Amino acid sequence: MAPTGVQILSKEAGAAQSQILTDDALSFLAALHRTFDKTRQSLLVARTVAQQRLDAGTPLDFHSETAHIRADPSWICAPPAPGLEDRRVEITGPTDRKMVINALNSGAKTFMADFEDSNSPTFSNLLNGQVNLRDAIRRQIDFETGGKPYELSKTPAVLIVRPRGWHLDEPRVLVDNEPVSGSIFDFALYFFHNAKELISRGFGPYFYLPKMEHYKEARLWNDIFNFSQSYIGLSHGRIRATVLIETLPAAFQMEEILFELREHSSGLNCGRWDYIFSFIKRRRADHTAVLPDRKEVTMEVPFMDAYVRLLIQTCHRRKVAAMGGMSAQIPIKDDPKANEIAMAKVRADKLREVTNGHDGTWIAHPLINKIAMDIFNEHMLGPNQYHVRREDVKVTAADLLNTSVPGKITAEGIRGSVATSLSYSAAWVSGNGCIPLNYLMEDAATAEITRVQLWQYVKYGSRVSDTGEIVTAEYIDRIVDKIVPTLKSGAVTEKNLGLVASYLKKQVRQEWPSEFLTSDLMPYLAIADGCPEKWQRSVL
């Protein structure tokens, strides 16, 4: 029987539920919800108000009320926790059992186990993921499938966990008839079951925090950390959290975010793909912010380069890690020439990061580890580059908002965006949050970029450079109708393809794009998991 006020609305993953959704764990989750969810809700309202100001023409800038924090050179963040001194290569991926073992055995320094953008949050994926991480920490994860054994190595990567963002609810678990936060759900269950075990093994509960847009959202996480450590009897400061700077507003508040989390901070990360998504979304009312084909928006374009340089300078000023971004390339096994071209892009990306001053980088596939590791080993002789102060960097608000991006809007680029959006969204509602597509590992962030770019082209009547056509909703419709039949497979049902096709057609017709496709499509996962429809708000 669940604690008073707690309801579980799905019977999926029954075995995992019995192991993870224990009465004590649910009591902790309920305590966090009752203490902090009203603050979360108020911060989400504040995002809406901030967007209204941007739509009205108020430009983003560094906050005047926190100028004293930025100007004060005396404060620094907590020293690196055990296992986080050297993070030169981090591998990321979802939490299914085989992928957890492969990532931990990859040779990377750390593994970011992801409940967010590379995970489709079915109840089964979430709860079995929690079981897999619990078992990995206790070295009880070994298993065999198809005659092939999967065993954890003697020196696995250090584990870091990314919960979902503040915007997502967990609709299958109610406290006092309200859905709990997806962020709090993922954090609470992992922390409650594993924090003390991790510390006993010489590490700690380490997290990546996604999608924040304001330093007060970081303050909320810090309050949750303090509450949680006290709740289970840990001294404060045992948790460490790296914040993904992947929204445009957060780029103007890096120092403040570190300051709020300074007792628990382990740095910042360049969440590059979501950052491009946010750049478009937050500047939705600005017709000068229309970007060319997605492939043209590289790390070298002015607004991306400025954000990277500011992040490195900020982190090293405060003595924490400045982590680089994801190389989404995966090996091309059947085409050596194409594979070499792809791997050359990885090398160039990692060389740019390490010479800029980053302390580590992200990869999406174990076979990329050696390439990234070799470059960082050659150019970063110590465990990190905190000593690279980048005092030469002078980044202004105008630099972060610079829309000068060379490139064109092409018919091929639009077709590629439609295909990526449909392929990923169909996989997501089918329970798969991470898919290989054109030899890139795609997750929700790239699907979000394609969705808002297509909306942007329709909104502002962009012209296709190679055909002269104006991009309209009907133009997108025709491409959608041509691509959908090519995507049918055993992994994606015709029903789900129809669902996401309708969704994309509706999106490009809206006055403003939805905040997140994952929020829009979550009701379909919840209903598939047995949740009553009365708790779900459909977008279609």
Side-chain angles (χ1 to χ4, degrees):
M1 180 107 180
T4 303
V6 178
Q7 299 175 66
I8 311 299
L9 299 182
S10 175
K11 292 184 170 60
E12 292 295 310
Q17 282 200 38
S18 66
Q19 297 173 62
I20 299 299
L21 300 182
T22 63
D23 285 355
D24 287 345
L26 289 174
S27 294
F28 174 55
L29 175 62
L32 286 172
H33 174 85
R34 289 167 178 148
T35 307
F36 296 109
D37 197 61
K38 284 184 172 57
T39 302
R40 176 181 78 103
Q41 297 292 350
S42 70
L43 290 169
L44 293 176
V45 171
R47 288 186 184 182
T48 302
V49 173
Q51 182 63 56
Q52 290 169 348
R53 287 197 297 269
L54 294 176
D55 292 344
T58 303
L60 278 165
D61 205 344
F62 298 97
H63 288 226
S64 59
E65 79 270 15
T66 53
H68 63 287
I69 293 173
R70 297 192 299 274
D72 182 356
S74 66
W75 65 269
I76 59 173
C77 295
L84 298 182
E85 301 91 345
D86 185 339
R87 301 168 63 181
R88 63 190 62 214
V89 180
E90 298 189 329
I91 190 169
T92 75
T95 56
D96 75 79
R97 205 165 185 89
K98 184 172 80 171
M99 292 191 74
V100 167
I101 292 175
N102 287 343
L104 289 171
N105 289 349
S106 67
K109 292 290 186 179
T110 73
F111 165 45
M112 188 202 76
D114 193 16
F115 288 109
E116 203 227 3
D117 270 6
S118 65
N119 177 59
S120 172
T122 67
F123 214 39
S124 178
N125 284 349
L126 293 169
L127 293 177
N128 285 318
Q130 292 279 356
V131 170
N132 295 337
L133 298 184
R134 181 204 64 184
D135 290 351
I137 290 164
R138 290 160 178 80
R139 303 190 66 84
Q140 298 170 353
I141 195 173
D142 298 357
F143 77 110
E144 183 176 307
T145 181
K148 182 177 179 180
Y150 289 86
E151 300 175 355
L152 206 58
S153 71
K154 292 182 178 178
T155 55
V158 175
L159 186 59
I160 307 175
V161 169
R162 178 165 70 172
R164 285 168 285 177
W166 283 132
H167 59 287
L168 283 168
D169 290 337
E170 175 40 68
R172 289 147 302 208
V173 179
L174 308 183
V175 173
D176 305 331
N177 287 320
E178 298 172 340
V180 299
S181 155
S183 305
I184 290 176
F185 179 87
D186 300 337
F187 163 81
L189 296 176
Y190 178 75
F191 178 84
F192 185 83
H193 288 294
N194 301 302
K196 289 185 177 179
E197 182 71 24
L198 285 160
I199 290 168
S200 75
R201 291 174 179 269
F203 299 101
Y206 305 148
F207 298 93
Y208 258 106
L209 305 179
K211 305 285 192 295
M212 283 195 277
E213 303 207 14
H214 199 281
Y215 65 86
K216 290 182 180 177
E217 298 178 20
R219 182 182 298 169
L220 175 57
W221 269 120
N222 199 66
D223 290 343
I224 287 172
F225 292 164
N226 284 331
F227 179 99
S228 300
Q229 288 165 134
S230 295
Y231 189 97
I232 67 168
L234 291 182
S235 58
H236 289 192
R238 305 307 293 267
I239 291 173
R240 285 293 188 278
T242 307
V243 173
L244 288 131
I245 300 298
E246 53 187 354
T247 69
L248 186 57
F252 290 84
Q253 303 175 57
M254 294 189 210
E255 297 243 31
E256 293 89 334
I257 288 168
L258 287 178
F259 182 80
E260 294 294 344
L261 284 160
R262 61 195 180 278
E263 188 182 21
H264 298 107
S265 179
S266 52
L268 304 176
N269 174 289
C270 288
R272 57 175 76 169
W273 310 122
D274 268 303
Y275 190 76
I276 297 169
F277 163 50
S278 178
F279 187 90
I280 298 169
K281 182 173 65 171
R282 290 291 163 251
R283 304 189 69 184
R284 65 190 190 181
D286 183 355
H287 68 90
T288 70
V290 175
L291 299 181
D293 287 356
R294 177 169 66 118
K295 69 178 183 180
E296 306 289 355
V297 189
T298 67
M299 299 307 294
E300 286 79 26
V301 304
F303 80 88
M304 296 296 284
D305 179 61
Y307 136 80
V308 166
R309 290 184 292 116
L310 181 60
L311 184 143
I312 294 168
Q313 181 191 56
T314 301
C315 288
H316 290 175
R317 188 181 185 212
R318 305 306 181 182
K319 302 299 183 188
V320 286
M323 299 302 297
M326 170 66 77
S327 279
Q329 286 83 6
I330 56 178
I332 305 172
K333 296 179 180 178
D334 56 354
D335 189 336
K337 186 175 181 180
N339 186 64
E340 183 48 42
I341 292 171
M343 295 307 103
K345 290 180 180 178
V346 175
R347 291 186 193 96
D349 184 52
K350 301 316 171 194
L351 182 61
R352 178 191 53 78
E353 288 185 324
V354 73
T355 54
N356 269 343
H358 277 298
D359 302 294
T361 190
W362 272 18
I363 60 170
H365 194 284
L367 293 179
I368 308 295
N369 178 66
K370 186 177 186 308
I371 294 172
M373 192 69 75
D374 286 349
I375 289 171
F376 269 80
N377 286 346
E378 180 180 353
H379 296 277
M380 190 174 84
L381 302 183
N384 52 59
Q385 300 194 87
Y386 296 2
H387 58 282
V388 178
R389 300 290 296 273
R390 292 306 306 263
E391 291 173 347
D392 59 304
V393 170
K394 300 288 187 284
V395 171
T396 67
D399 295 325
L400 293 171
L401 298 172
N402 187 339
T403 57
S404 175
V405 179
K408 297 178 179 179
I409 298 169
T410 68
E412 181 185 3
I414 292 173
R415 284 194 299 271
S417 288
V418 170
T420 296
S421 179
L422 293 173
S423 298
Y424 182 81
S425 300
W428 194 90
V429 294
S430 302
N432 184 2
C434 186
I435 63 168
L437 199 61
N438 299 320
Y439 301 107
L440 297 173
M441 192 61 73
E442 304 284 25
D443 68 4
T446 44
E448 293 286 36
I449 296 171
T450 58
R451 174 177 67 90
V452 294
Q453 276 202 297
L454 293 169
W455 170 87
Q456 191 181 48
Y457 297 161
V458 172
K459 174 76 171 180
Y460 293 108
S462 298
R463 188 177 295 275
V464 184
S465 63
D466 44 338
T467 68
E469 294 174 272
I470 300 296
V471 182
T472 63
E474 292 73 23
Y475 177 91
I476 301 299
D477 288 350
R478 291 194 294 272
I479 298 174
V480 169
D481 292 340
K482 285 181 181 178
I483 288 177
V484 164
T486 71
L487 301 179
K488 293 178 181 178
S489 70
V492 176
T493 67
E494 191 167 340
K495 177 185 175 182
N496 285 344
L497 275 173
L499 169 70
V500 299
S502 297
Y503 174 72
L504 184 57
K505 289 179 179 181
K506 181 178 179 182
Q507 280 290 296
V508 299
R509 287 172 165 81
Q510 293 191 169
E511 180 185 9
W512 305 119
S514 291
E515 279 291 288
F516 295 97
L517 68 84
T518 49
S519 297
D520 286 347
L521 299 177
M522 186 67 213
Y524 297 95
L525 296 186
I527 291 169
D529 281 339
C531 282
E533 291 196 29
K534 68 178 181 177
W535 294 107
Q536 311 307 320
R537 291 191 293 273
S538 172
V539 297
L540 290 178

